[in-house]
């Protein structure tokens, strides 16, 4: 098969690494990719959000399958636009259409969906400018802390957890009246705070059946001990020690199966990944959010633990044969440490030459924000490299990842030395 993968991060480099191992993979293009993806695949300068350009490329190269790494093309309806093209009736698109992608693209949509299907999640109300006064009264009487979420996509920044009612009212006004997160916060979901420990689970689905992938825990804060501002993710661990068989069975029966059945019952066509952002409260799972894609950096820990053929699974989903697929997992730990640029997640510089990648041993080196600068690899983003190592124990895997993190050099390199600190 000829494949076009959309995106440019560590997640996409991990996809390239895994897809290239499949005997089904012929040509693999990545749009736009990074310095790492250019080694296993062909990078193309194509904007994933430009449906017309993507369609033209698919025709020119005889692409059989398009896979979207990020959510934005999905929420904008790229799958629907390609499927509407009479010349692309045979194309497989792995990722939901705009309607299914609303699970991620609209918090209000996803909360209403969960309510309809009795899927456990925090209690909530949704408000807009029209219901501003009602919202303020609701916030003034709300138990603390209070979680405010911009309804739409806000690049992972649209959630604010408020410690007082007055702060919540102020942030709420800024979101709705001043559009603090742009049009995404014209509608605001107010949620009860859930106190627990988070993890993520992932499925490949065709809207009827699903294939469970290994679970992972990511580390979102910039600072050690989970302090400081949120980032895209500073590391990931798989498997997750507190997600034992009993807990995972609860996730499957209370959350994953009702979600797939809910999509089917509502006739929402959905071929793609579903990322379940979960929180364990006591011994019970609740949904924090859905994403219509894989996580980053979770993918860099999850795909190394998938021993079976990812591309065969994706094709089976597209062809409606997913029920016959079996995913095989590597029992070892896979631990990912992210190297980031100085200053990230605030302003940072790009273009720092990266050295010593070739000296890394026994660790997978997935490029995130990198580019070619002449014949040298240089930084090109806040998150620069995801280093994933295997181990019989979490400690053994982490030791290798941290060793690699020490080996690779670039000016301003930063990383968290405590990834996995909170797990057994
Ligand atoms: P989201 O973008 O919905 O994943 O939210 C970002 C982060 O905010 C999550 O990863 C949680 O750490 C936190 N969060 C969101 N909703 C809640 C909630 N209801 N209770 C506690 N923490 C939450
Ligand atoms: N690491 C969280 C995400 O991909 O949304």
């Amino acid at each position: 098969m000829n494949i076009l993968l959309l995106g440019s991060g560590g997640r996409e480099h991990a996809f390239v690494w895994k897809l290239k191992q499949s005997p089904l993979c012929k040509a693999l293009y990545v749009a736009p990719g990074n310095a790492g993806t250019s080694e296993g695949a062909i990078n193309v300068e194509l904007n994933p959000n430009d449906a017309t350009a993507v369609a033209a490329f698919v025709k020119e190269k005889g692409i059989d399958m398009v896979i979207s790494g990020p959510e934005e093309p999905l929420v904008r309806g790229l799958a629907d636009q390609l499927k509407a093209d009479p010349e692309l009736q045979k194309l497989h698109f792995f990722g939901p259409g705009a309607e299914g992608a609303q699970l991620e693209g609209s918090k209000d949509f996803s909360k209403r969906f969960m309510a309809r299907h009795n899927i456990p999640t925090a209690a909530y109300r949704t408000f807009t400018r029209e219901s501003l006064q009602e919202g303020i009264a609701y916030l003034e009487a709300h138990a603390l802390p209070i979680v405010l979420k911009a309804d739409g996509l806000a690049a992972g920044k649209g959630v604010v957890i408020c410690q007082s009612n007055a702060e919540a009212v102020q942030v709420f006004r800024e979101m709705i009246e001043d559009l603090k997160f742009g049009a995404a916060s014209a509608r605001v979901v107010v949620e009860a705070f859930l106190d627990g420990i988070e993890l993520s689970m992932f499925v490949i689905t065709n809207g009827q059946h699903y294939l469970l992938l290994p679970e992972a825990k990511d580390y979102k804060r910039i600072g050690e001990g989970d302090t400081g501002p949120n980032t895209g993710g500073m590391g990931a661990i798989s498997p997750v020690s507190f997600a034992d068989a009993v807990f995972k069975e609860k996730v499957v029966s209370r959350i994953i199966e009702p979600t797939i059945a809910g999509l089917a019952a509502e006739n929402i066509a959905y071929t793609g990944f579903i990322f379940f952002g979960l929180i364990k409260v006591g011994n019970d799972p609740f949904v924090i959010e859905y994403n219509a894609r894989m996580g980053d950096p979770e993918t860099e820990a999850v795909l190394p633990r998938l021993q079976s053929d990812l591309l065969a699974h994706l094709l089976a989903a597209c062809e409606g044969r997913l029920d016959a697929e079996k995913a095989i997992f590597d029992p070892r730990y896979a631990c990912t440490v992210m190297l980031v640029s100085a200053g990230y997640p605030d302003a940072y510089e790009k273009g720092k030459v990266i050295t010593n990648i070739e000296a890394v041993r026994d660790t997978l080196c997935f490029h995130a924000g990198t580019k070619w600068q002449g014949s040298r690899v240089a930084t090109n983003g806040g998150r620069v490299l995801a280093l994933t190592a295997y181990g019989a124990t979490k400690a053994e895997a982490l030791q290798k990842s941290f060793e690699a993190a020490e080996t690779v050099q670039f000016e301003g390199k930063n990383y968290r030395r405590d990834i996995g600190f909170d797990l057994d």
Side-chain angles (χ1 to χ4, degrees):
M1 272 193 290
N2 296 332
I3 297 164
L4 172 62
L5 171 68
L6 306 176
S8 62
R11 169 181 54 207
E12 286 73 23
H13 192 192
F15 270 114
V16 165
W17 171 81
K18 185 67 185 163
L19 292 168
K20 288 294 285 182
Q21 295 169 29
S22 171
L24 298 169
C25 181
K26 209 161 78 189
L28 177 57
Y29 300 91
V30 190
N34 59 38
T37 62
S38 75
E39 297 197 318
I42 302 164
N43 285 356
V44 284
E45 271 186 47
L46 188 62
N47 175 359
N49 295 317
D50 183 344
T52 309
V54 172
F57 184 83
V58 163
K59 291 173 197 172
E60 181 194 329
K61 298 292 182 189
I63 298 294
D64 301 295
M65 186 188 288
V66 177
I67 304 168
S68 185
E71 65 280 9
E72 201 182 332
L74 302 171
V75 173
R76 286 166 171 258
L78 179 62
D80 311 299
Q81 291 173 60
L82 296 185
K83 280 177 195 160
D85 188 324
E87 289 177 52
L88 297 178
Q89 294 308 300
K90 289 203 179 123
L91 177 72
H92 293 309
F93 191 101
F94 197 80
E99 192 185 16
Q102 288 291 95
L103 281 183
E104 173 165 4
S106 166
K107 302 275 189 203
D108 178 56
F109 176 94
S110 74
K111 296 296 279 190
R112 284 189 282 119
F113 178 87
M114 288 186 265
R116 285 196 295 278
H117 301 288
N118 291 315
I119 294 168
T121 186
Y124 84 105
R125 288 275 304 270
T126 300
F127 300 97
T128 60
R129 188 177 273 275
E130 285 65 49
S131 49
L132 188 80
Q133 291 309 324
E134 208 185 321
I136 291 171
Y138 182 75
L139 289 172
E140 282 170 342
H142 200 289
L144 298 174
I146 305 172
V147 183
L148 300 181
K149 298 185 172 183
D151 177 57
L153 292 184
K157 294 192 172 66
V159 175
V160 184
I161 298 177
C162 301
Q163 303 299 334
S164 77
N165 300 80
E167 182 197 355
V169 169
Q170 192 194 331
V171 174
F172 178 72
R173 280 186 175 280
E174 287 167 8
M175 288 170 93
I176 291 186
E177 293 185 317
D178 310 336
L179 298 181
K180 184 181 170 81
F181 300 107
S185 70
R187 188 183 297 268
V188 173
V189 170
V190 179
E191 256 187 40
F193 181 83
L194 296 175
D195 197 3
I197 183 160
E198 290 177 59
L199 79 156
S200 306
M201 289 178 67
F202 311 90
V203 298
I204 290 168
T205 185
N206 55 7
Q208 307 288 329
H209 299 103
Y210 68 94
L211 200 60
L212 192 61
L213 296 173
E215 78 280 2
K217 182 174 193 308
D218 79 339
Y219 291 81
K220 288 200 175 78
R221 304 293 196 95
I222 187 74
E224 287 168 15
D226 285 342
T227 54
N230 266 329
T231 69
M234 297 292 291
I237 305 268
S238 180
V240 178
S241 51
F242 63 82
D244 57 22
V246 173
F247 179 77
K248 281 196 273 196
E249 171 45 35
K250 287 181 188 170
V251 175
V252 165
S253 61
R254 298 178 190 180
I255 294 172
I256 295 178
E257 289 183 346
T259 298
I260 310 291
L263 291 170
E266 297 189 21
N267 287 317
I268 300 176
Y270 197 112
T271 296
F273 293 106
I274 304 178
F275 164 150
F276 298 85
L278 305 170
I279 188 164
K280 185 182 185 187
V281 181
N283 283 314
D284 293 318
F286 291 79
V287 177
I288 290 277
E289 63 166 349
Y290 289 114
N291 292 312
R293 54 172 172 86
M294 287 297 288
D296 193 349
E298 292 93 330
T299 304
E300 293 94 302
V302 166
L303 291 186
R305 293 196 56 227
L306 184 69
Q307 288 176 324
S308 43
D309 184 339
L310 174 69
L311 186 50
H313 297 327
L314 303 185
L315 183 63
C318 292
E319 293 180 342
R321 315 179 265 104
L322 198 55
D323 47 329
E325 288 293 292
K326 291 264 177 300
I328 301 169
F329 300 174
D330 190 320
R332 290 176 297 173
Y333 275 84
C335 297
T336 304
V337 172
M338 188 69 80
L339 302 185
V340 304
S341 299
Y344 175 79
D346 298 323
Y348 55 85
E349 290 179 14
K350 299 180 184 178
K352 309 290 181 196
V353 171
I354 306 173
T355 56
N356 257 359
I357 294 180
E358 65 292 344
V360 168
R361 296 276 168 272
D362 212 12
T363 299
L364 297 163
C365 192
F366 297 122
H367 291 222
T370 70
K371 64 174 177 198
W372 288 106
Q373 202 160 268
S375 60
R376 299 196 291 184
V377 176
T379 66
N380 193 37
R383 294 192 291 173
V384 176
L385 290 168
L387 304 165
T388 301
Y390 293 103
T393 61
K394 185 190 67 166
E396 186 193 325
L398 279 168
Q399 195 205 331
K400 291 187 215 165
S401 306
F402 288 132
E403 222 168 89
E406 275 302 298
T407 303
V408 174
Q409 299 297 336
F410 59 88
E411 188 188 317
K413 175 184 77 175
N414 183 28
Y415 63 95
R416 272 182 64 172
R417 289 155 178 83
D418 71 339
I419 298 302
F421 76 99
D422 54 343
L423 300 177
D424 293 334

